[in-house]
Structures are given as C-alpha cells and as structure tokens.
Amino acid sequence: MLAVLIAAAMLTAACGSGTSEPGTAPDDAPVEAPSIVDDVASTRSGAGIGAAGGNLAAFSADECDLTRAIRIAYVGPDVSELEAVGLASLVIEEPAHIIGAYLTEVNAHGGIHGRCVQSSIHLWSWANPTDSFARICAEVPAGEPIVVISLYGDVRGVRCLTVDAELPVYGLYASVPATVQRSSRGRLFLDDGTVGYLLASSIEVSHQTGTVDHNAQVGLLYGPPVGVTPSGREYNIGADFEELVNLTGSANLIPGVITHVSSAFGQLANLGPEGRVRLLQSGLTASEMVDVSAALDEMSTEQRALLGEIEQFYLDAAMEHRDSGVAAIYATVPWFELRRMMRAAERIGWHPDWIASDIQGATLTLTDAPRAQADNFYLVSARPAAGDPLADLDRGCVGLRSAAADAPPFPHRHHTDAWGLLVATCDALDVTLSALSRISGPFSTGAFLEQLANTEYEGMSGGHLSFGPDDFSGSDRFRVLRADPGCVLDDWGCMRAISEWLEPLGEEHVDHDE
C-alpha cells in the first residue's frame, strides 16, 4: 500500500522544503574567552551563579578537595549518532563540553565550601534507548550524585531516577506527561513544562495574541512523548486533559477534533526507514522514486506494513480535520509526528495554522516540511528567538565554552539550535550550582531540594524560571514565534517573536495532587 500511496503523491503539486545550507559562521561580534581571576564573580560561572541567587562566599581562591567532591550527573543522548538515526538536521554539540568547562572554572576558585564539584556523563543511544536506560538507571544512582541534569527528560530515565532512586532531576529541554511529573513527588524540575501545561499555555497565549481566533474550529494532535513503548502505561491521556482543564479553568478550550497518535508510531527506530521512503512527501522526482522503490525492497514485511499504517493514519487524520472545518491544529506530539501531519495536509491541499509549543523542536519540525505549511507555523515558546538582544551571560557562556581545552571552538551563530542548547545548559548549571552554594550543612539531595525551592532565575532572553515547592511546571512566560524560512540560521530558517512576553497561567489553577 505504501508504494501505491507514494506513487500517487507524484500527482499532487508540492512546494519545496525551503532549505539551505546550515548557518555555522561566527557572529560578527567577537566573544572574548574568559581568564581565571581571583574574583569568582568576574567569571562566567560565578556571574551566573550570582544571578541565580547563589552564595559567592562559598567560593575561594584555594585549591578544592577532590577526595570530598560534590557529585552531580548528566544524562543525555549521544549526539554523535544523530546522522545515523536520521537526525542530521539537529545541529547541536555534546553538552558535556560546557559542563566540563563550567565546573573547571568553579573548581579553579576552590569549589563549593572547599569541595570540588565533579560530573559523571551518561549517554544513551538513539538506536537502542531501552538498553541504554537499563544501564543508566543502574550506574547513575551508584555514583550517588546530589542532582541529575537530564537533556530531553526521557520518560524511562525520569521514572527510574526520580521515583526509584529518589534523585532530584533538572529536566533540560524537557516536557513529560502530568502523571510522570506527579510520580516524581517533587523531584523533577522542568525548564519547559508538562505536556498539559505547555498545551494549555499554547492555547491561551495564541488566543490572547489573536494568532488563533476564539471562535475558530481547532484540532488537537495528541500523543505520547518519545520513551513510551507501545505497551507502556507511563502515558495517560486522561491525566493530561485533567491538568489542561485545571490550568485553563475552562473545558471550552479543549479542542473538539482530536487525533490520538499511537505510541507505536513514535519509536525512534522508525525515523531512518521513514526518511528512506520519503514518507508522506509530495512531488518526488523520478530518481527519488527509484530510491524509494529500492528502500522498500530492502525492508521487512513488518516494516513496510508499519510505514503504510503510519501514512494512511495521517492522511485520514488530515482529511478528518479538513472536513470538520478545522482552521488551526495544536500539537503535543514529538516533532516528527507533527511534521507527518504537515506533510499529509500538503498531500490533500489543506493549509491550516500549526500551533506548536516547546514540546516540539521547531527546527526539526520544519526541516523538510512543505514550504506552504511552514509559512503557517507558530511556536508558543519560552525559548530565545532570532533578533533577541544577546545577554551578557549568554555571551559569557559561549566564551567559556570556546576556551574549553578538550573541545574545538564553538562556531555556531546566535539563535541556532547549538547556541540555544549551549546557553540553556549554562542556565541549568547556574541554577544547580546556585542551590548547592547555599547549602550550609551536610550536602544531600534533601538539602539541595530545599535550596532549589528558593531559586528564581531570569534565564535566556527574558524567560523566567522558579522552583518553589508547588512550582514544577517550567517557564511561566511565553511568546508567539513565527517561522521565517527566509532567515538563514539553520537549514530551514529561524523563529522570530511576533508578540510580547505573556504570563498566561496563574498558579491558583495548578493542581499537583495525584
């Protein structure tokens, strides 16, 4: 069936992807590499820790004690595998580089209360995340870290570290279902937010700004995050809808046309085969069709059947939304599921508005998406945007990274994927080390959690992070960003802010109980 559908796609007019070469040239304004000085406040790490309310008196110029090191851990994907699993468009580098450079600077100023701070690095494989997390869930607790910084907040890692090992986890670029957040019992802190929180924020902010008319018929593309297996029970659609109602205070905002995506479609192992058969893409050339046929011939019957099922599902979903008069689609699915829906819409000649949130990676969503669909793409986000002024702390973060002895110079332009992740990692370290610096007694996870609850931080480009005892949702300020495919930062373009910062959701609506 898949081969027939792809062949039929050639009859449909298509727009190009609007891609260009990735922008990797340095910004015109140079960033000076920092030098080690006696005053910790003059360093990038010290300035960031101070901005997050840290106790700079905890640092000194004396040599820190390695035998009593304070241990933290980093858990994240192995970025060297990106191209192999079909994610070559994600241009980022290993966060361990900036973590190492940051802690080196901290330890050069005596560590925290005379104790060095060390980080263990634990990478999971995109190609085999299940086995990776079985390993990580054993080795991270064995190292007895006080806190774990986790990129993307994969469900498997979040559960074993926060629930089983009872470790605090700072989720960097992370969003999880409400049930996962609640099961952590106050040990999971997200810089983005829970699925329901981000969905509610995207609905409310898009209405406040007029991006979506209050009276418009809207649809919802709803599904589990990466890390939920087809048979897993970590994902609970009912709990997230309950959170959505609590946050907005109005069930009327829940869209009436809902497409629930199967977790079987969201396995990362599908991305490589999907790319080879150009799943749901329109306007394939004769040469591309030959490549598609060859790729299909090499696949197992089961793989072809799954890809055909995914393709038919999205074509049916697009037609259902179109025929119901949907003008805008909100999404909580991973980025590649949203892109599948965009491609299906292009196949049937339908062009709604797409309202994403920080659940999705905007660059990846739009890479190889039909240009006509990218023109209607909006992101309700707490992240930086092209054109934002550059904060001194962000410049200092890049300078610190560029001076790292174990890594090549950082070459990426401002507001690319690589830039955004780099400065977000610095923000996470600022928050983490700030809380550690305020501990006056024995170092423990409990002492860390107590100090983190008192942390408020103005992060990247105006974003605000707070970590009170009932505030686990992530950022509380959002803007509407719009795709600009003509801006050459990443291989598709960039996102530009089209609204001011808004604080859409009051804490009085939040219910964190089971």
Side-chain angles (χ1 to χ4, degrees):
M1 177 175 63
L2 180 65
V4 174
L5 290 171
I6 291 179
M10 295 185 67
L11 301 177
T12 303
C15 293
S17 65
T19 61
S20 60
E21 292 298 318
T24 57
D27 189 85
D28 292 337
V31 178
E32 295 295 333
S35 58
I36 299 298
V37 295
D38 291 340
D39 182 9
V40 67
S42 299
T43 68
R44 166 56 186 84
S45 56
I49 292 168
N55 173 24
L56 296 186
F59 302 88
S60 71
D62 298 331
E63 184 177 355
C64 62
D65 186 350
L66 189 59
T67 65
R68 298 187 305 123
I70 301 166
R71 290 185 289 274
I72 66 175
Y74 167 77
V75 174
D78 185 348
V79 300
S80 69
E81 298 179 347
L82 291 175
E83 184 173 0
V85 296
L87 297 174
S89 297
L90 181 55
V91 182
I92 61 174
E93 68 165 21
E94 179 55 63
H97 292 322
I98 185 60
I99 294 174
Y102 189 107
L103 295 184
T104 295
E105 193 167 72
V106 166
N107 291 332
H109 289 82
I112 296 178
H113 295 300
R115 300 173 62 173
C116 298
V117 184
Q118 286 189 309
S119 175
S120 57
I121 306 299
H122 309 268
L123 303 182
W124 52 268
S125 171
W126 296 90
N128 191 1
T130 300
D131 288 351
S132 296
F133 276 103
R135 167 181 55 81
I136 288 170
C137 290
E139 67 186 19
V140 171
E144 298 183 340
I146 285 183
V147 60
V148 179
I149 296 174
S150 177
L151 178 61
Y152 295 132
D154 188 286
V155 170
R156 289 157 291 205
V158 166
R159 278 202 175 277
C160 77
L161 295 175
T162 63
V163 178
D164 300 337
E166 299 185 348
L167 293 172
V169 173
Y170 183 106
L172 180 64
Y173 275 35
S175 60
V176 299
T179 47
V180 175
Q181 173 69 76
R182 291 165 182 163
S183 70
S184 76
R185 298 294 185 184
R187 299 186 192 94
L188 176 62
F189 300 87
L190 305 175
D191 66 339
D192 282 348
T194 62
V195 172
Y197 180 81
L198 292 177
L199 175 59
S201 299
S202 66
I203 292 173
E204 188 167 348
V205 170
S206 64
H207 284 174
Q208 283 189 28
T209 58
T211 306
V212 175
D213 188 274
H214 282 275
N215 299 317
Q217 174 73 345
V218 298
L220 174 62
L221 188 63
Y222 201 92
V226 173
V228 176
T229 62
S231 60
R233 296 184 178 276
E234 298 96 335
Y235 176 67
N236 185 325
I237 189 170
D240 278 317
F241 270 124
E242 179 184 357
E243 183 181 67
L244 173 60
V245 174
N246 288 337
L247 286 167
T248 61
S250 171
N252 295 330
L253 290 182
I254 297 177
V257 183
I258 301 170
T259 296
H260 183 208
V261 179
S262 168
S263 58
F265 296 171
Q267 305 310 301
L268 292 173
N270 295 331
L271 295 181
E274 173 183 349
R276 289 193 292 274
V277 302
R278 307 297 183 97
L279 189 74
L280 287 164
Q281 293 189 44
S282 305
L284 300 180
T285 66
S287 175
E288 289 169 335
M289 284 300 300
V290 170
D291 293 340
V292 167
S293 297
L296 287 168
D297 289 342
E298 295 173 358
M299 290 180 186
S300 66
T301 301
E302 293 76 13
Q303 185 68 75
R304 287 196 299 269
L306 176 59
L307 292 177
E309 183 182 353
I310 293 173
E311 184 173 52
Q312 191 61 56
F313 172 87
Y314 276 100
L315 288 172
D316 290 345
M319 287 187 284
E320 178 187 7
H321 281 73
R322 180 197 62 187
D323 296 345
S324 299
V326 167
I329 292 182
Y330 293 94
T332 69
V333 292
W335 59 268
F336 51 87
E337 304 279 22
L338 177 55
R339 188 174 63 188
R340 287 169 180 168
M341 189 69 163
M342 296 171 75
R343 289 173 174 170
E346 186 69 13
R347 285 270 292 272
I348 66 172
W350 177 52
H351 299 89
D353 289 333
W354 305 94
I355 314 298
S357 69
D358 287 335
I359 296 169
Q360 290 85 20
T363 299
L364 285 172
T365 301
L366 291 173
T367 299
D368 297 327
R371 173 62 182 268
Q373 304 296 336
D375 286 341
N376 300 331
F377 183 85
Y378 300 87
L379 188 71
V380 177
S381 177
R383 295 180 183 167
D388 284 347
L390 299 176
D392 289 340
L393 285 177
D394 292 349
R395 287 186 179 275
C397 179
V398 176
L400 178 61
R401 163 60 191 83
S402 296
D406 61 341
F410 185 79
H412 303 284
R413 293 177 61 191
H414 299 144
H415 308 305
T416 57
D417 295 325
W419 168 278
L421 177 58
L422 178 69
V423 297
T425 305
C426 278
D427 287 349
L429 291 165
D430 293 342
V431 167
T432 299
L433 273 293
S434 167
L436 289 173
S437 75
R438 294 195 302 271
I439 296 176
S440 57
F443 285 89
S444 66
T445 58
F448 173 80
L449 287 171
E450 181 179 353
Q451 294 302 325
L452 189 64
N454 299 321
T455 301
E456 293 197 11
Y457 185 56
E458 300 296 328
M460 301 179 300
S461 302
H464 176 261
L465 297 174
S466 58
F467 304 90
D470 294 315
D471 184 7
F472 314 124
S473 294
S475 297
D476 56 8
R477 298 176 187 173
F478 299 90
R479 298 178 296 180
V480 178
L481 313 183
R482 185 168 189 177
D484 179 5
C487 165
V488 182
L489 282 180
D490 293 297
D491 68 340
W492 62 269
C494 64
M495 302 298 295
R496 295 190 184 278
I498 61 171
S499 80
E500 300 297 323
W501 288 99
L502 296 171
E503 299 179 8
L505 302 173
E507 281 298 309
E508 66 272 16
H509 295 303
V510 180
D511 178 7
H512 292 292
D513 297 331
E514 283 280 278

